[in-house]
Amino acid sequence: MSPPGLWEICQSIVWAFVTILLALGMFFAYVGLFSPFFYVTSWSVHQGLNTNISFCMISLINAANLFGCIIPGILADRYGSYNMMTAAAFTSGIICCCWVKATSLAGVAMLSLAYGFCSGGVTSPQVACATVIKKPQDCGVVVGCLMTFISHRVRSLPQPFHVSQIINTNTEDL
């Protein structure tokens, strides 16, 4: 009997239930993950903040994202990468629900910092989660499959249109 070829190995890894489940979970986590990155500037301008300060909000998100990538990664060694990613995704969703109440400079800045930190906790452990589910020699195939599946989400689906509705809504109505 000959050893299995590359196609058979890739097929057994890619179509494994845990690989598909992780890819679907990351796909749905990424559906609205980057909306605040795109719309925080528009929201700030809509709230009457200075346009120069409004454009600094994306820098605040990215600055906090750096620490959000590092600190949950350190905590993942103790609590598990899946647990940290789940907690970060849940917390990111809660922070997005608070978005409409951020109407001042301090509120928008704190929202940007908090969301940047939590979204970094979603994006950074994805490779660690992929390496846990398979043998070390198969990690490259799993990570490649996961990144390919997630990239199709980012490329094919538009950003949620409801954000533009939130920006055009009077906050007293909420």
Side-chain angles (χ1 to χ4, degrees), residues 106-157:
V108 176
M110 290 307 296
L111 174 93
S112 299
L113 289 171
Y115 190 79
F117 182 81
C118 292
S119 67
V122 175
T123 58
S124 66
Q126 62 188 358
V127 173
C129 290
T131 57
V132 170
I133 62 176
K134 290 294 176 182
K135 295 180 277 187
Q137 61 266 26
D138 299 334
C139 288
V141 176
V142 174
V143 171
C145 171
L146 180 66
M147 297 299 172
T148 300
F149 192 74
I150 292 172
S151 69
H152 287 297
R153 183 268 162 259
V154 174
R155 184 180 58 84
S156 64
L157 295 177

Side-chain angles (χ1 to χ4, degrees), residues 35 39 158-168:
S35 295
Y39 293 110
Q159 287 299 320
F161 67 93
H162 65 278
V163 177
S164 64
Q165 297 301 320
I166 290 173
I167 290 174
N168 294 326

Side-chain angles (χ1 to χ4, degrees), residues 40-111:
V40 70
T41 304
S42 300
W43 178 256
S44 301
V45 170
H46 179 73
Q47 294 304 316
L49 300 179
N50 186 352
T51 55
N52 293 332
I53 292 175
S54 295
F55 285 109
C56 291
M57 295 302 152
I58 191 67
S59 298
L60 286 177
I61 289 179
N62 285 326
N65 198 308
L66 172 70
F67 295 104
C69 288
I70 295 170
I71 294 171
I74 293 169
L75 293 174
D77 292 337
R78 180 180 181 122
Y79 299 110
S81 54
Y82 283 98
N83 294 334
M84 292 305 299
M85 185 170 53
T86 303
F90 182 74
T91 309
S92 294
I94 297 293
I95 293 169
C96 279
C97 290
C98 299
W99 188 2
V100 294
K101 294 298 181 182
T103 57
S104 66
L105 174 61
V108 176
M110 290 307 296
L111 174 93

